[in-house]
Structure formats: structure tokens, C-alpha cells
Amino acid sequence: HTMLTSAWCQEASLPPLRVARGARTACRCSVPLPLVTGGLGRSCAFSLASGLCAGLAVSTSRKHRSVPRRCAPVAMSTPPAQLQALLFDIDGTLADSDPLHFQIFAELLQAEGFNGGEAINEEFFKQRISGRQNKLICSDLFPDWDDDRAESFSNAKEATFRRRAQHLTPMTGLERLRGWCDAAGLGRAAVTNAPRLNAETILDGIGLRSWFQELVIGDECERAKPDPCPYLVAMQRLGARPEQCIAFED
């Protein structure tokens, strides 16, 4: 991970923010979309929402991401002139849903006899499952499955998730950032690889579905994340350029 201290931050009067290495040229995208990551993890007592408003440089290291590194406070009562929109991932960013996804995948994979019937651990989940499309997960873990079996597994997993996702809560600091965004008149979009029904279930559960002007689903785009295509679609719908946006990811 690197500390973003580029001309973008200086011109936007933003404090330095830790970003994922290579995030400014994510995948095949050459546009400089600032990507803020890691501060909304489930172990955090703070959030990137607070960080953006209060001048925190947030560590994105998974091992240490619950430890904020303070830098000089920066007044953020009004946004930089060029900032037009905030783009948010959903799972693990707006709500701490990853533990639930992990639990359900572990149960269903064990029932399928994956890994000799031994339950997967969190590291396997992070490396091979988290954030990926279900069809890619199934083709990776069960290369001999046909499309019908993979779809049946995916449908069962997502239906189970929706039944259990009713009690998810917003990440700490999200309400503060929401108020700041509203006061500044910024555009906002949710951009996710989750199936639409899942995304709507989570947004309904945390009371933000109507707040977002756009909901972009990776499966409904030409390419899903980590390709930048869904973010580019969101920016196009909001009428904003990459240099006018900040994306929040976990």
C-alpha cells in the first residue's frame, strides 16, 4: 500500500489518504480515479467517512487497519471545487456483510464436500471468494460443474444471505459522511458485484436505498469489478468525470 500525496490531493485540499497500490490505474483503466480503501473494515472503531471529514490517514493493511494514523485536521465543511460525486461499494463498505458471506459459503461448501468436507477458513474466503462474481467462484472451485448446477448453488447461497441479512447495520461514520455529502450537494452511486436483489436488501436494511441516485450492478455491465467498467458506468450516469469522484472500497 502507498500513501497518496499526488497533485490530485494537493489541488483538492484533501489530507493524504492511503490507497491500494495501483489504484490510480485500476486494472485496464488509465483514468486517475482516487480509490479510498480499507477504512470501513469490520474491526474498525472509525471509518473512512470520519477519515475524509476529519483528516485521518487511514491504514489499509488488513493486519493493522483498525489503527488510525492522524495527520493535521483539514476543514471539510465545503468540498473541493472539483469533487462532484462519491461512489461506494456495498458489501464490507457500507455494511459489514463479509462475515455473513463467509459463514454461508463455509456452510454450503462443506455441504458440497469441498476441500474434503473440511470448512474453509477466512484467508481462503478472502483470497478466492470475497468480492468475486458467483459464476467465477463456481468455475474456480468446481470446474466440473455445468452451468445449471453452478446457478443452483449460487441461487441457494444468495437466498440464504438475503434471509439472514435483515439485521445488518451501517458502518460507523457513514451517517456523518451522508450528511456532509447532502450538504455539499454531491452525487452518489452504489457500485457492486453483488446480485441486484442482495444489493437492494442491504441498502433497504441500512436505510440508504432511496439515498443513492444510482445503483450499478457488475453483472449488468459489460464487465464486473475489479474491471473499472461499473465505476465508469456510474460516473457516466452521474455526469461526472473520474477526477471529480472518490470511490470507497474495502
Side-chain angles (χ1 to χ4, degrees):
H1 298 83
T2 62
M3 180 71 79
L4 178 62
T5 55
S6 66
W8 189 92
C9 267
Q10 296 169 16
E11 291 174 5
S13 300
L14 288 177
L17 297 174
R18 285 191 182 275
V19 298
R21 186 179 302 280
R24 287 175 58 80
T25 55
C27 302
R28 293 182 293 278
C29 182
S30 60
V31 295
L33 172 65
L35 181 67
V36 183
T37 67
L40 300 183
R42 68 175 180 274
S43 63
C44 294
F46 67 97
S47 71
L48 279 175
S50 301
L52 183 60
C53 296
L56 292 179
V58 181
S59 170
T60 55
S61 164
R62 287 190 180 273
K63 184 176 180 182
H64 302 294
R65 67 182 180 182
S66 62
V67 181
R69 295 182 54 174
R70 292 194 175 272
C71 51
V74 175
M76 294 293 288
S77 57
T78 57
Q82 69 183 51
L83 184 59
Q84 297 296 319
L86 303 182
L87 314 176
F88 294 85
D89 177 45
I90 296 179
D91 279 298
T93 303
L94 296 178
D96 188 17
S97 53
D98 277 357
L100 181 55
H101 283 294
F102 167 63
Q103 179 185 27
I104 296 170
F105 266 111
E107 293 172 2
L108 295 183
L109 289 176
Q110 190 170 27
E112 292 287 347
F114 180 77
N115 194 32
E118 183 177 345
I120 62 171
N121 57 31
E122 287 193 56
E123 189 60 31
F124 182 92
F125 173 77
K126 293 174 183 177
Q127 295 296 327
R128 303 281 296 275
I129 296 176
S130 181
R132 302 179 70 196
Q133 291 174 290
N134 283 333
K135 63 181 179 181
L136 296 180
I137 295 170
C138 289
S139 65
D140 179 21
L141 304 186
F142 300 103
D144 296 332
W145 280 8
D146 59 25
D147 290 345
D148 288 343
R149 187 170 182 185
E151 184 177 3
S152 177
F153 176 88
S154 299
N155 290 342
K157 184 268 167 182
E158 302 308 344
T160 303
F161 174 83
R162 289 190 291 273
R163 286 196 302 271
R164 299 184 188 179
Q166 304 301 318
H167 303 295
L168 292 174
T169 57
M171 284 292 189
T172 302
L174 185 56
E175 188 62 27
R176 180 183 180 188
L177 181 56
R178 177 184 176 182
W180 179 80
C181 181
D182 288 343
L186 299 177
R188 57 266 183 197
V191 185
T192 180
N193 275 351
R196 178 169 288 277
L197 285 177
N198 285 28
E200 291 173 347
T201 296
I202 295 174
L203 293 178
D204 283 340
I206 62 176
L208 289 181
R209 183 172 174 183
S210 62
W211 183 71
F212 282 104
Q213 296 163 308
E214 297 290 343
L215 172 58
V216 179
I217 306 296
D219 280 343
E220 299 173 5
C221 298
E222 183 178 351
R223 295 174 300 279
K225 295 189 293 183
D227 191 281
C229 181
Y231 276 116
L232 295 173
V233 169
M235 288 183 279
Q236 182 181 39
R237 291 181 183 176
L238 293 174
R241 300 189 305 274
E243 65 271 18
Q244 296 173 321
C245 301
I246 295 177
F248 288 81
E249 279 278 358
D250 63 330

